[in-house]
Amino acid sequence: MNQVVEITEAAALHIKEMMKQNEEENAKLRVAVKGGGCSGLSYGMGFAQEVEEDDIPFELHGLEIVVSKEDAPILQGTKIDYKESMMGGGFTIDNPNAIANCGCGSSFRTATKVGTPEEC
């Protein structure tokens, strides 16, 4: 099993609750990279029913996760957490491969992948 990203227990519990609310309990969490955002790349998380041929599947905290082989080098070592504060809760993503981040925290670029930057 090749673990591409790390998902904290808090994030996994929140994702499982979201799956339950959306009646997606048997789904897998897909973590992906897409073009866009002011720095060129942005993160995507969603539910997937199937493991695709070019996916790397792994499991953390009872959560099945898939990452495409194309996105794996960009996401390798990324830590996804969920934090609650007085202003509400949200996911935090810490990617050691990012060399530039947008002020909003959801857009980034790496030394090898610039993506397609957009205006903020």
Side-chain angles (χ1 to χ4, degrees):
M1 187 171 6
N2 185 10
Q3 179 183 320
V4 179
V5 299
E6 177 186 344
I7 295 186
T8 66
E9 190 171 5
L13 288 171
H14 192 76
I15 292 164
K16 286 179 192 175
E17 187 59 36
M18 291 170 64
M19 287 176 160
K20 191 175 185 180
Q21 289 173 0
N22 290 300
E23 299 180 356
E24 296 269 10
E25 286 102 332
N26 297 322
K28 293 135 188 53
L29 175 69
R30 177 171 296 284
V31 182
V33 174
K34 41 190 183 174
C38 27
S39 293
L41 298 170
S42 59
Y43 301 104
M45 289 196 302
F47 303 136
Q49 293 299 322
E50 302 291 326
V51 176
E52 304 295 329
E53 191 175 316
D54 71 334
D55 282 341
I56 300 170
F58 55 100
E59 188 175 317
L60 288 169
H61 307 291
L63 183 65
E64 291 183 67
I65 304 159
V66 292
V67 175
S68 77
K69 290 178 183 169
E70 182 181 343
D71 292 345
I74 301 167
L75 293 170
Q76 187 67 51
T78 296
K79 181 178 181 179
I80 301 171
D81 196 3
Y82 186 84
K83 299 191 189 254
E84 289 281 351
S85 72
M86 289 177 22
M87 303 294 287
F91 290 101
T92 61
I93 300 175
D94 180 20
N95 185 340
N97 305 305
I99 61 167
N101 289 297
C102 179
C104 62
S106 64
S107 180
F108 69 102
R109 75 172 174 257
T110 67
T112 58
K113 188 91 171 169
V114 178
T116 51
E118 301 169 348
E119 297 222 8
C120 286

